Amino acid sequence: MKTNYIELVKKYIRRHYNEEIIEIERLATGLCHYVYNVKSGNGEEVVIRIAREGTESLIRSGVYWNEYLKGLDLPLAKLLHYNLNEKLPYMVVAKLPGKDLCYVYDELTGEQKQVLAREIVSIQSLVSKLQKNDYYGYAECYNDSSLRENSSWKDVVFKSILRSKRRLEETRIFDLKYAEQLLSKLQKYSDYLDRIRPKPFLDDITTKNVLIHEGKLTGIVDVDNICFGDRLFHVALTRMALLSQGSDTDYIDYMLDEYDLEPRKIEILNFYTTVCCLDFMSELGQRFNKDSVPEVDLERVKLYESIFLKYLNSDNVMKTDLMRYGESCVDFYNEKIISDIVRVVKQGKEATVICCRSHENMDSEYMAVKLYKEKKYRNFKRDKVYHIGRVWDQRLLRAIRKKTAVGQDAERSNWVSNEYDTLATLYDAGVNVPKPIAHTHDAIVMEFLGEQDLCSSLLKDTRLTKDEAKIVFTKLLDDIETMLEYGIVHGDLSAYNILYHEEEPYIIDFPQAVNPSVNQYAYDLLVRDIVNVCKYFKRYDIEANPDEIAKGFWKPRYGYC
């Protein structure tokens, strides 16, 4: 006999509330339970979740984890009532304002997505501090005996693929080759998967179970279990959920910025995405808690196949990951200069610097890519001072003055070319600067100064002995004088843009460099550079007169001050 869930809702709610039930609304959420929003006569609203046959244990685990997680500062919907002794157990939780993320995602601004990504990553970090488990998988409680079947995270992923494969066999909507391809890929990543420790994370706070109201997170709901394994799987599942609804994946990009993943983990994330995609494919044609089997959407079939093939193809995925940092990174990739992204090294006032792995044809193992920000995101003061003397096309100059999009692009391109040309000149002159390799309109790829993939420290963060400081100070002054000899003044020099690499100072960041022959502010900028250097080295008891040093450099070449 078919269960009348509306009558069950009334029966269960009346046990705990005396007010008249005004409205019962079934919520289109979840695959396992029947979920209803209940409104009473006094205006109070609650949500009741009732198990369907075969999912009773998930209500019990939902109660368990809601109680267990009380100690953490998580925005969980408050558990109000429950009864686990019923044939179909239930739980009642407070109604939180907002809708599931999937219903409002496309309305969110980039900033709202970024804030939400930061909050979700923070929630996962809190959960990861809970007690670890001895086994892996989706736990209904800490002592869940079913986890003992999984001695590694690889076992969990393997079983997920097998479950999807069985469903595909039942529905016959998709070719079984998709599952076979993943089983083959699984072996490729065995070393990584076997090293994962059983750390807890919330696997199901994706585009559902994350409530958003007026662009802000109001809470998370439906925590039926906690997964022990690799929390990147949650990112992949969220990505797949967004792709399945045809949304952008900016939210995922913001998550990846928070996690700061190395390339190997990006590759694993893409593999996880195909595993999740296979799971979505296997759900088509399944009834679950619906009244009948939904009609198969052929457009969705095509969508899932395209997503699967995209993330299975590592070359295309690599380009997709590079695109997160702009088209220039893809250009450098296509020109066989870089092969992948390692990490963001620096978020500066005018640019972002990224450590990249070099293409096998290059001489070094790593390269640095400097990506310039648009002017509205830069923080340079008195831009006009640095532009004096540079040659401009008159039409572009008018566009710059009018602050049109074309003008702003041209101005950014000018900064880039100025820095690239300056680096090339100084590198050939023997000044300690990174070797420039190539550039586009908004990026420069250059020599990476560091140990393996770790960037050398800035001078401001380096502790020197007094003897070392004297050597570095002398070398910097020599380089400043050589720069002047070649018609270049840095214009923004300080301990913040000098790297200490292999016991030598290297000057970086030259977009604002000026030519003393055509810029009337060059001498003032030179004095300021030398003042900043002398001021820094004063901590090492090095006394110097910056004005006298500047005059000594300037007069033999330009004859006036």
Side-chain angles (χ1 to χ4, degrees):
M1 182 177 176
K2 188 176 179 180
T3 303
N4 187 328
Y5 277 88
I6 294 295
E7 290 304 314
L8 272 184
V9 170
K10 294 176 180 178
K11 173 184 173 183
Y12 293 160
I13 288 294
R14 284 171 181 152
R15 287 180 181 172
H16 308 287
Y17 300 93
N18 295 323
E19 291 80 6
E20 179 186 2
I21 296 175
I22 300 298
E23 183 181 341
I24 299 175
E25 176 191 7
R26 184 173 177 189
L27 303 179
T29 184
L31 299 176
C32 296
H33 307 306
Y34 286 83
V35 185
Y36 296 87
N37 186 64
V38 182
K39 188 174 183 179
S40 63
N42 65 1
E44 183 180 1
E45 291 186 69
V46 296
V47 174
I48 182 169
R49 301 172 65 207
I50 306 175
R52 64 182 175 88
E53 189 173 347
T55 68
E56 297 88 350
S57 64
L58 291 179
I59 290 290
R60 297 187 183 95
S61 63
V63 171
Y64 174 89
W65 286 116
N66 271 267
E67 295 285 7
Y68 193 93
L69 294 173
K70 279 183 179 179
L72 297 181
D73 187 20
L74 301 180
L76 280 171
K78 184 179 180 181
L79 178 62
L80 302 173
H81 309 283
Y82 60 88
N83 190 320
L84 304 181
N85 297 319
E86 291 286 346
K87 181 180 178 181
L88 295 176
Y90 67 91
M91 59 190 295
V92 181
V93 298
K95 168 74 172 177
L96 295 177
K99 298 179 180 179
D100 280 322
L101 176 60
C102 59
Y103 299 117
V104 299
Y105 179 83
D106 294 332
E107 302 168 9
L108 298 181
T109 65
E111 184 179 357
Q112 288 170 335
K113 292 172 186 175
Q114 186 176 28
V115 171
L116 178 61
R118 192 175 297 129
E119 289 177 317
I120 294 299
V121 170
S122 177
I123 287 170
Q124 295 288 25
S125 295
L126 284 173
V127 173
S128 71
K129 294 175 183 177
L130 292 173
Q131 176 187 343
K132 297 181 181 62
N133 210 316
D134 294 328
Y135 302 98
Y136 298 80
Y138 304 91
E140 296 182 0
C141 63
Y142 261 103
N143 298 320
D144 190 338
S145 59
S146 67
L147 267 62
R148 295 176 185 174
E149 301 172 2
N150 305 319
S151 59
S152 72
W153 177 241
K154 179 183 173 183
D155 290 341
V156 178
V157 178
F158 174 68
K159 288 178 180 178
S160 174
I161 298 172
L162 284 187
R163 182 187 67 174
S164 297
K165 183 181 179 183
R166 285 194 297 270
R167 288 177 178 171
L168 293 183
E169 289 172 339
E170 293 172 6
T171 59
R172 298 187 179 277
I173 297 171
F174 295 93
D175 196 307
L176 293 180
K177 69 180 181 181
Y178 296 111
E180 297 298 340
Q181 287 175 315
L182 282 189
L183 290 172
S184 177
K185 280 271 188 181
L186 184 67
Q187 302 309 312
K188 176 181 177 181
Y189 301 119
S190 289
D191 288 347
Y192 173 88
L193 298 172
D194 286 337
R195 289 197 304 270
I196 294 296
R197 305 310 306 149
K199 291 185 177 181
F201 68 93
L202 300 180
D203 65 290
D204 207 22
I205 51 171
T206 56
T207 57
K208 293 186 177 179
N209 304 329
V210 173
L211 298 184
I212 305 296
H213 182 61
E214 296 181 349
K216 296 180 180 179
L217 175 69
T218 57
I220 54 177
V221 296
D222 298 359
V223 180
D224 292 331
N225 53 41
I226 282 185
C227 191
F228 291 87
D230 190 354
R231 66 182 178 180
L232 282 185
F233 201 80
H234 159 258
V235 182
L237 184 57
T238 307
R239 175 197 264 172
M240 183 58 214
L242 289 172
L243 292 170
S244 74
Q245 67 182 45
S247 296
D248 65 59
T249 55
D250 294 348
Y251 177 49
I252 302 302
D253 291 343
Y254 291 129
M255 279 192 186
L256 297 185
D257 289 340
E258 294 297 315
Y259 283 129
D260 192 19
L261 302 182
E262 60 187 26
R264 176 65 167 170
K265 289 191 176 182
I266 291 288
E267 190 177 347
I268 293 294
L269 176 63
N270 296 328
F271 168 66
Y272 287 162
T273 302
T274 58
V275 174
C276 294
C277 183
L278 189 72
D279 191 37
F280 275 57
M281 294 161 84
S282 74
E283 289 177 354
L284 288 184
Q286 300 286 344
R287 178 171 174 268
F288 295 118
N289 64 349
K290 303 294 189 297
D291 294 331
S292 60
V293 177
E295 184 178 345
V296 175
D297 182 348
L298 295 181
E299 289 301 315
R300 185 158 294 278
V301 170
K302 293 178 182 178
L303 174 64
Y304 287 173
E305 287 178 332
S306 67
I307 293 170
F308 185 94
L309 294 174
K310 172 184 175 181
Y311 285 94
L312 193 71
N313 187 321
S314 60
D315 184 60
N316 286 342
V317 169
M318 177 56 67
K319 289 188 180 183
T320 300
D321 294 330
L322 289 167
M323 277 298 295
R324 290 179 57 221
Y325 298 100
E327 293 181 1
S328 291
C329 280
V330 177
D331 291 339
F332 296 143
Y333 174 86
N334 290 335
E335 292 298 321
K336 298 185 177 180
I337 298 172
I338 64 173
S339 61
D340 57 40
I341 302 292
V342 177
R343 63 165 57 87
V344 174
V345 173
K346 175 188 175 186
Q347 292 274 11
K349 59 187 177 182
E350 81 276 359
T352 297
V353 179
I354 302 169
C355 174
C356 299
R357 199 176 305 280
S358 304
H359 189 273
E360 59 184 11
N361 293 335
M362 305 303 291
D363 294 333
S364 59
E365 187 175 359
Y366 298 99
M367 296 283 181
V369 173
K370 183 173 183 178
L371 295 165
Y372 279 77
K373 297 178 180 178
E374 296 178 38
K375 183 173 181 180
K376 62 183 178 181
Y377 298 122
R378 294 204 320 263
N379 194 30
F380 258 133
K381 298 185 174 95
R382 300 171 65 208
D383 276 9
K384 292 179 182 178
V385 169
Y386 300 109
H387 280 312
I388 292 172
R390 297 184 187 178
V391 179
W392 292 94
D393 178 282
Q394 288 303 308
R395 287 173 298 178
L396 290 179
L397 192 58
R398 286 195 295 271
I400 290 170
R401 287 171 179 164
K402 292 180 179 179
K403 298 181 180 181
T404 66
V406 172
Q408 290 179 355
D409 285 344
E411 190 173 12
R412 177 166 51 165
S413 180
N414 183 266
W415 286 102
V416 175
S417 59
N418 188 64
E419 176 158 28
Y420 182 85
D421 293 343
T422 300
L423 285 171
T425 298
L426 295 181
Y427 183 82
D428 290 341
V431 175
N432 275 1
V433 296
K435 179 182 178 180
I437 307 298
H439 73 94
T440 63
H441 72 288
D442 68 350
I444 299 175
V445 60
M446 65 187 81
E447 173 188 11
F448 180 78
L449 300 177
E451 186 69 27
Q452 294 185 341
D453 62 346
L454 297 177
C455 182
S456 295
S457 63
L458 292 171
L459 184 60
K460 76 177 185 70
D461 299 321
T462 305
R463 283 193 172 188
L464 304 172
T465 65
K466 288 188 177 182
D467 289 340
E468 289 171 336
K470 289 178 183 177
I471 295 171
V472 172
F473 180 70
T474 301
K475 173 61 178 169
L476 283 172
L477 291 183
D478 288 345
D479 281 349
I480 292 172
E481 187 174 19
T482 303
M483 288 162 57
L484 195 61
E485 187 73 37
Y486 282 82
I488 295 168
V489 172
H490 187 285
D492 193 39
L493 189 61
S494 73
Y496 285 83
N497 44 33
I498 299 170
L499 291 175
Y500 189 66
H501 176 65
E502 296 181 349
E503 300 182 354
E504 292 268 352
Y506 280 74
I507 302 174
I508 59 174
D509 296 342
F510 286 92
Q512 72 295 316
V514 300
N515 184 341
S517 298
V518 294
N519 190 307
Q520 68 262 38
Y521 296 102
Y523 180 72
D524 293 335
L525 294 173
L526 175 68
V527 172
R528 189 176 70 180
D529 286 351
I530 297 174
V531 166
N532 288 341
V533 171
C534 291
K535 183 178 179 181
Y536 176 80
F537 281 94
K538 196 169 184 180
R539 70 188 62 190
Y540 294 106
D541 298 328
I542 295 176
E543 296 293 337
N545 187 323
D547 289 326
E548 290 301 317
I549 294 172
K551 288 176 183 177
F553 289 169
W554 186 272
K555 279 191 173 182
R557 295 166 180 85
Y558 299 99
Y560 66 92
C561 293

